[in-house]
Amino acid sequence: MSAVADDPRKTLLEAGARLAVQAGGLRDLTLPLLTQVAGVSEAEFDAAFASLDDFRRQLLRHMMDVVRAEVLATAAGFGRPGFERLWHTVEAFLDANLRHPAMRRLAYEMRTDPVAIELLRQRMAGYAMVFKTELAALDRPNPAGAARLATAMIVEAAKAEHETGHANAEVRRALYAFLKAYAG
């Protein structure tokens, strides 16, 4: 193990996140570039990941885990279901997407990768399931369908903000109004 990295896997993922937001993203990523930026050897990379494609997939998973953890930490700060908890977790998701632009960029770059597509599908289904539980606790009609539609709106809001690189007050107000009208 190199002196620079106590955990080569973590170091490589952190380097990948930095590289993902640079011009060109990770599409043309090479192993020598990644290991140089991470300060680890190619042997350490080989011990941590099966291939560059595997690395990209694991990087996407890692970044999505970071965002999910931030959202769950926000939700945990509210005791009972209610619109306030629901809205604050939505804002936490949007803010986390802005703090971690590499995730959205990598998801876009990997939009044709079947493994990444399945990962994204599973994560969105997970968010919709949590949203459904919140809506059911609020005794809202059609919680499963509403949760799926709300999740799609939230993801679209995150994409819009990613494009500009900052929170979009107009989009957030519209999203708030939609959610408040249904769940508030």
Side-chain angles (χ1 to χ4, degrees):
M1 196 164 2
S2 73
V4 176
D6 291 332
D7 182 354
R9 181 179 176 81
K10 181 179 178 187
T11 302
L12 285 158
L13 291 170
E14 289 171 356
R18 289 191 308 274
L19 289 168
V21 293
Q22 294 180 2
L26 295 181
R27 283 184 176 241
D28 299 322
L29 179 69
T30 64
L31 185 55
L33 174 62
L34 176 62
T35 55
Q36 177 188 9
V37 170
V40 301
S41 70
E42 289 188 22
E44 289 171 309
F45 174 89
D46 291 340
F49 301 99
S51 65
L52 279 173
D53 285 339
D54 177 51
F55 169 77
R56 286 181 185 92
R57 293 168 183 146
Q58 294 305 316
L59 178 58
L60 179 59
R61 180 184 306 277
H62 169 72
M63 290 186 294
M64 292 174 82
D65 287 346
V66 168
V67 168
R68 181 175 55 188
E70 290 179 18
V71 172
L72 291 174
T74 297
F78 292 86
R80 296 172 16 139
F83 181 76
E84 184 178 3
R85 177 167 81 176
L86 187 132
W87 178 248
H88 283 291
T89 58
V90 168
E91 281 189 310
F93 177 79
L94 295 174
D95 292 342
N97 272 263
L98 288 171
R99 277 192 302 280
H100 305 286
M103 180 190 71
R104 180 99 10 234
R105 177 131 186 218
L106 188 55
Y108 178 76
E109 288 179 9
M110 297 182 70
R111 68 191 178 280
T112 61
D113 179 286
V115 175
I117 290 168
E118 180 59 19
L119 174 61
L120 289 164
R121 189 198 65 70
Q122 289 173 359
R123 291 300 167 95
M124 291 305 99
Y127 281 122
M129 184 177 67
V130 170
F131 218 88
K132 175 188 163 223
T133 302
E134 289 287 319
L135 293 174
L138 294 171
D139 201 29
R140 303 311 309 150
N142 309 307
R148 186 169 183 170
L149 293 172
T151 300
M153 285 192 300
I154 295 162
V155 168
E156 187 58 35
K159 287 178 187 177
E161 290 187 347
H162 175 75
E163 289 171 4
T164 62
H166 58 80
N168 183 319
E170 182 180 5
V171 167
R172 288 191 184 203
R173 281 192 304 270
L175 184 57
Y176 179 93
F178 274 112
L179 297 174
K180 181 73 172 171
Y182 187 78

